[in-house]
Amino acid sequence: SEKNNFFFFFWRRYTLTILEVAGYYHIGEGKLRMMIDQNPHEDFYVMNGNRALIKREKFERYLDQATAV
């Protein structure tokens, strides 16, 4: 069906939703929202209206530099 044409693997997508990131990286949704609230000037996310989308590669680099999550 046409719906299947829009499926992308996580590792190829530029942005992920908070729910997708929580499942993929095993970090809770609340923790992710707190990370965004506490780091308003970081570039690992972008706001689409009131929805936060995580920039996958930049988030991975952010995690690489973090000593604790």
Side-chain angles (χ1 to χ4, degrees):
S1 81
E2 290 182 31
K3 191 173 186 180
N4 290 337
N5 292 335
F6 294 103
F7 177 77
F8 292 98
F9 294 106
F10 280 161
W11 58 88
R12 297 196 60 190
R13 290 183 42 201
Y14 184 72
T15 60
L16 301 170
T17 65
I18 294 222
L19 184 62
E20 291 168 334
V21 171
Y24 189 70
Y25 293 101
H26 303 285
I27 300 172
E29 292 178 54
K31 174 67 87 169
L32 289 167
R33 293 181 195 284
M34 186 179 70
M35 290 169 68
I36 290 170
D37 290 342
Q38 291 179 348
N39 299 287
H41 301 294
E42 289 288 343
D43 66 346
F44 64 80
Y45 71 97
V46 62
M47 295 301 292
N48 181 11
N50 65 347
R51 173 182 282 188
L53 296 173
I54 306 295
K55 299 176 186 176
R56 184 186 49 80
E57 289 182 358
K58 291 186 179 195
F59 185 67
E60 288 173 350
R61 286 194 290 270
Y62 174 82
L63 289 178
D64 287 342
Q65 299 298 318
T67 57
V69 177

